[in-house]
Amino acid sequence: MKQLFFLAAIAFIITFLFLCLQNGSFYTMNVLSPLSKKYWTIQSIDTMKYSRDEAQAKLSDASFDAVIDSQMAKIDKTGANYVAIGTPYDDQFLSYLTRWVKAARKYHLHIWFRGNFSGWEDWFGYAKIDRQTHTEMVKQFIIKNKDLFEDGDIFSSCPECENGADFNTSDSQQVQLYRDFLIQEYQTTKDSFATINKQVGANYYSMNGDIAKLVMDKETTKALGGTVVVDHYVNDPQVLADDLQALADKSGGQVVLGEFGAPIPDIHGSMTDEQQKKWIQEVLDKVSQVPQVIGVNYWVNTGGSTALWNDAGNPKPAVGVITTFYSRHKFF
């Protein structure tokens, strides 16, 4: 009986593999088999240099919609399932944010909202806001703009929140108060999405590497839904992967690489397009081997030193690497 079961199992596997090969390849199947999954649940590309930095300049420029659409189309072709949009949440920018959201929906991309209120970091000349005000503004923004969101989206109420939090990292009491603030923001955000009946991820508080090591102990990570998001730029791909593993071990949570990219001149020096391609290949190879990493967001699509597409809109060789990882599946 055992031998018959074993032979039947072998026959099933051979038939399955044959059918996959008949369809072209393992990596281009339209429907994932029970034996495969994407490398990461979140496979994202960031648009901050245009969705945030140009928010005021392009606010009333209707012709800019063509640029937005073009960027979304290119991101979609990589196999990304999320696009990160950095437009501020202030009323002034709501129409601009809506244009980006509309374009993302056209290409069936989930949205990772990675904006903030401009007063948190003094963007665009806005007056500084405090923690309590920020939390209340987050609540009102979500409830008033429920049509912006769809199930499966991610909402970061305060990306790299430490940049506007004004706390002394060497003071343990201030660090704990900062943890308490993040937990309160998370609870408020989660409750607000429940109020509008939307299933949106609310626990994606990105931090730079040093802050994540300091703040995200196991108790805090659990209180924030079990996820640590780190925006991390280092020179060595192996160091990057090791840092993510160490953060997962320390926090006891899952990890999302909220920002990575190259070259950052002060970190990586200058790179040719081929060197950029090789570096990204090495990073994704190594990060894919850290089991606790559930998502990655490449920073940035265009407009910065790490861009995947040049200013003329042409793809760099690195686009092929991103596409390979975002479009293929790993088998167990």
Side-chain angles (χ1 to χ4, degrees), residues 61 73 107 166 274 326:
D61 183 358
Y107 292 97
D166 300 326
E274 284 298 321
Y326 280 11

Side-chain angles (χ1 to χ4, degrees), residues 250-319:
K250 178 180 182 294
S251 67
Q254 297 178 314
V255 176
V256 175
L257 183 54
E259 288 183 14
F260 78 103
I264 302 292
D266 291 346
I267 297 173
H268 309 100
S270 61
M271 284 184 176
T272 65
D273 288 350
E274 284 298 321
Q275 288 171 328
Q276 179 196 40
K277 172 186 173 182
K278 180 180 178 182
W279 188 89
I280 295 172
Q281 171 79 51
E282 290 182 18
V283 165
L284 295 178
D285 274 335
K286 294 182 184 303
V287 169
S288 69
Q289 298 171 41
V290 182
Q292 294 93 334
V293 175
I294 62 168
V296 296
N297 176 47
Y298 185 84
W299 193 94
V300 64
N301 69 323
T302 190
S305 63
T306 63
L308 296 172
W309 289 270
N310 63 27
D311 292 340
N314 298 317
K316 296 181 180 181
V319 172

Side-chain angles (χ1 to χ4, degrees), residues 28 36 88 105 137 140 164 169 171 222 265 274 317 324 332:
T28 57
S36 69
R105 303 302 183 204
M137 290 173 73
Q140 294 304 319
T169 57
D171 185 323
K222 183 178 180 181
E274 284 298 321
T324 296
F332 299 90

Side-chain angles (χ1 to χ4, degrees), residues 68-171:
I68 298 173
D69 186 88
S70 175
Q71 291 190 14
M72 292 297 173
K74 291 169 182 173
I75 290 171
D76 175 54
K77 288 180 180 178
T78 67
N81 58 354
Y82 282 83
V83 58
I85 296 174
T87 308
Y89 304 142
D90 312 284
D91 288 345
Q92 178 189 4
F93 303 109
L94 182 58
S95 63
Y96 188 68
L97 175 57
T98 301
R99 291 156 66 187
W100 282 89
V101 169
K102 182 179 178 180
R105 303 302 183 204
K106 175 181 174 181
Y107 292 97
H108 307 291
L109 291 164
H110 288 304
I111 297 168
W112 185 349
F113 293 85
R114 281 175 58 92
N116 201 338
F117 293 99
S118 297
W120 187 253
E121 293 187 50
D122 305 315
W123 296 341
F124 302 111
Y126 275 63
K128 181 72 175 174
I129 59 175
D130 60 24
R131 298 180 184 185
Q132 182 177 352
T133 300
H134 189 280
T135 303
E136 180 59 30
M137 290 173 73
V138 167
K139 176 181 178 181
Q140 294 304 319
F141 176 77
I142 293 170
I143 293 174
K144 287 168 56 180
N145 297 290
K146 62 181 181 180
D147 291 340
L148 281 177
F149 306 104
E150 288 188 356
D151 291 350
D153 287 344
I154 296 168
F155 180 79
S156 295
S157 66
C158 194
E160 294 190 16
C161 210
E162 65 269 15
N163 293 339
D166 300 326
F167 73 102
N168 183 352
T169 57
S170 63
D171 185 323

